[in-house]
Amino acid sequence: MNFKSLCIIGMGYIGLPTASVFAGNGLHVIGMDVNADIIDGLKAGKLHIFEPGLRQWVFDALESGHLEVSEAVQPADAFIIAVPTPFYEDKRADLSYVISATQSIVPHLKLGNLVVLESTSPPRTTVDIVAPILAESGLKAGEDFLLAYSPERVLPGRILQELVDNPRVIGGVNRASAEAGRDLYRTFVKGDIILTDATTAEMVKLMENTSRDINIAIANEFSRLAEKFDVDIWEAISIANLHPRVDILRPGVGVGGHCISVDPWFLVEAAPETARLIKSAREVNDAQPAFIADLVEKASEGLFGKTIALLGLSFKPNVDDLRESPAVKLAHILKDKGARVVVFEPFKPDAGIVDVQQVDSLETALIEADVVLLAVAHDQFRDLKPQEIRSKTEAGVVFDAVSAWDKADWEKAGFRFYGLARKY
Ligand code: SAJ
């Protein structure tokens, strides 16, 4: 099939890069979002998210006229739904954005259109929820219009490369739908395009993120065992990983972001009796900030009245995304334990996190600190020179929760150095 126009619903971390890459490859793209601030910002050339290289792609796409942004869905040959799927307090998937995005397509749906759901969703969402809503148009999925699920699988920080180079899975409600999806994404995808059915594609996406969550959980659990047995976890992992079939990931502050810390719950919700390992892994990762807080408390010889300079708030290095961030949880736990927490997050210096005192420079964070706590290994934190930090703070203790710093260097600069299951 030949697609000339495309309407993408949701201008977030996935929708906006996808829209600008389609536009950069010649399609006429309408980038739609219900949030007027996002649309007005884009019209004024301002991006609400940070992703390396994205600004230029968006700017070029808008400038060329191939990308238009709008608060309303507009008719097009194809529609992509790229809205968030958060979870409720009880961890059930909140499909309200997927449902309202689907409903907004109904009045515009025409014979021969393609609709693709990209949002991570519980198994069977495409066939059991999206298809019946679109049927309200009087058209039938797979016959009058084509319907597919194609998960986004890109890594924040590398979105623009991975969009193009990663293999793409396209699950259709029938073969013709999957093939239409392939024709659309072939516009820019250089990786393999694998066709399957919609529910398999949904399951594949959830399995990928769940398996990563479980792998990080075992690394975090190993770090707790290592603390218990007085073993340096980093040395132990590096030795274990010499085995040809072992690849242990990195323990840390916990697992955050809108994907890995959320998606496994969709499987737990769908089959609680069966998905027991998945649930345990989630619980291990969710408890990691509290474990780190206990270690910091021990290293600081109590937290009451101490000032902690917390470096980093985002969910992982070199991104500005704070969603489900374990560093934010860590800040709150430390505060509850009686510490005064002063946070510097260079990628979002004014995140406005409730109850967290944020400052806009490293110097301000350090000035009254008793403890310097590294929570996120942003490149600029990795590169800090202990001798320079010494001249900016009276702090006696440094705690590196992510093993980014060299113990000997910090000790040489006069700090007492601690880390997660760290001996050397
Ligand atoms: N983390 C660790 N230890 C590690 C690796 C990661 O503690 O060894 C933590 C990170 O600090 C972060 C969290 O896990 O808090 C998740 O980070 P990540 O880099 O593993 O993944 P995300 O959430 O940025 O992106 C994931 C990717 N999925 C997989 O690698 C299977 C990406 O490909 C998906 O597109 C994305 O989720 C998504 O949108 O679903």
Side-chain angles (χ1 to χ4, degrees):
M1 276 179 88
N2 192 10
F3 295 95
K4 290 200 165 54
S5 61
L6 170 67
C7 179
I8 302 190
I9 301 161
M11 287 292 97
Y13 281 95
I14 299 303
L16 183 59
T18 306
S20 54
V21 172
F22 267 117
N25 281 277
L27 249 71
H28 180 241
V29 182
I30 298 118
M32 181 270 174
D33 203 292
V34 289
N35 184 330
D37 290 343
I38 291 178
I39 296 301
D40 291 346
L42 288 170
K43 282 181 180 159
K46 276 195 233 118
L47 268 61
H48 58 295
I49 51 178
F50 170 77
E51 173 65 26
L54 183 61
R55 176 174 295 281
Q56 193 62 45
W57 271 93
V58 173
F59 183 80
D60 291 347
L62 289 167
E63 186 78 357
S64 70
H66 282 113
L67 175 62
E68 271 177 63
V69 289
S70 163
E71 276 174 63
V73 172
Q74 292 179 27
D77 297 337
F79 300 88
I80 291 179
I81 300 169
V83 294
T85 36
F87 53 15
Y88 295 110
E89 196 85 344
D90 64 0
K91 312 292 189 194
R92 279 179 312 113
D94 172 1
L95 289 176
S96 57
Y97 298 106
V98 169
I99 290 170
S100 61
T102 309
Q103 285 165 339
S104 69
I105 296 173
V106 173
H108 305 283
L109 196 62
K110 289 202 212 68
L111 270 179
N113 278 170
L114 167 67
V115 179
V116 183
L117 175 64
E118 281 204 18
S119 313
T120 306
S121 303
R124 301 195 60 83
T125 300
T126 308
V127 286
D128 288 349
I129 294 178
V130 174
I133 295 173
L134 293 174
E136 289 165 17
S137 64
L139 302 175
K140 195 161 184 307
E143 290 178 17
D144 303 323
F145 71 95
L146 302 149
L147 175 61
Y149 179 77
S150 181
E152 61 81 11
R153 299 154 93 205
V154 289
L155 195 73
R158 292 179 42 82
I159 290 179
L160 289 156
Q161 296 98 293
E162 292 207 357
L163 262 181
V164 175
D165 296 332
N166 281 3
R168 184 105 209 173
V169 185
I170 300 175
V173 295
N174 59 357
R175 184 75 194 177
S177 294
E179 286 174 355
R182 177 193 57 204
D183 296 345
L184 176 65
Y185 285 96
R186 214 15 121 205
T187 309
F188 67 81
V189 171
K190 297 211 174 81
D192 290 343
I193 295 185
I194 299 109
L195 304 190
T196 181
D197 65 82
T199 307
T200 303
E202 290 164 347
M203 185 77 183
V204 164
K205 167 70 193 191
L206 296 173
M207 282 165 46
E208 289 168 354
N209 280 357
T210 299
S211 91
R212 190 152 170 88
D213 194 44
I214 290 176
N215 281 304
I216 300 168
I218 193 70
N220 283 332
E221 195 154 284
F222 285 150
S223 75
R224 297 182 201 178
L225 293 168
E227 277 288 342
K228 199 175 175 69
F229 302 126
D230 207 18
V231 164
D232 184 289
I233 190 62
W234 307 96
E235 185 196 11
I237 289 177
S238 69
I239 298 171
N241 282 351
L242 295 174
H243 187 289
R245 286 175 296 285
V246 172
D247 189 9
I248 300 167
L249 295 176
R250 294 174 64 84
V253 179
V255 171
H258 184 57
C259 309
I260 299 199
S261 65
V262 176
D263 302 353
W265 288 116
F266 295 177
L267 291 173
V268 175
E269 173 203 348
E273 298 303 320
T274 314
R276 289 184 306 173
L277 173 63
I278 299 172
K279 183 163 186 269
S280 286
R282 275 284 68 244
E283 286 163 352
V284 167
N285 286 333
D286 276 353
Q288 192 72 356
F291 178 68
I292 298 286
D294 286 347
L295 295 180
V296 176
E297 185 173 29
K298 208 164 119 200
S300 315
E301 292 166 355
L303 286 173
F304 200 78
K306 301 264 169 67
T307 298
I308 299 191
L310 179 69
L311 308 189
L313 262 195
S314 62
F315 86 94
K316 68 175 194 175
N318 305 319
V319 300
D320 72 341
D321 191 344
L322 267 56
R323 290 176 297 175
E324 311 297 329
S325 174
V328 174
K329 288 185 200 144
L330 177 61
H332 284 131
I333 298 169
L334 292 168
K335 199 162 170 277
D336 290 347
K337 281 175 172 283
R340 175 174 165 245
V341 183
V342 183
V343 183
F344 175 49
E345 171 46 72
F347 286 85
K348 216 165 217 174
D350 51 359
I353 303 287
V354 182
D355 273 353
V356 173
Q357 183 189 342
Q358 243 195 303
V359 294
D360 60 5
S361 77
L362 178 66
E363 283 69 20
T364 320
L366 291 174
I367 205 147
E368 288 174 0
D370 300 298
V371 179
V372 179
L373 168 55
L374 179 65
V376 184
H378 293 312
D379 289 346
Q380 70 192 90
F381 292 155
R382 263 181 197 283
D383 295 344
L384 288 175
K385 303 272 176 295
Q387 291 294 353
E388 266 174 50
I389 300 301
R390 183 70 289 169
S391 65
K392 294 178 183 177
T393 179
E394 303 273 299
V397 173
V398 164
F399 192 101
D400 174 2
V402 285
S403 195
W405 287 339
D406 186 77
K407 186 174 193 244
D409 287 351
W410 288 86
E411 285 180 342
K412 219 182 295 160
F415 292 97
R416 278 187 287 131
F417 185 93
Y418 301 89
L420 167 61
R422 188 93 183 260
K423 301 287 165 282
Y424 301 101

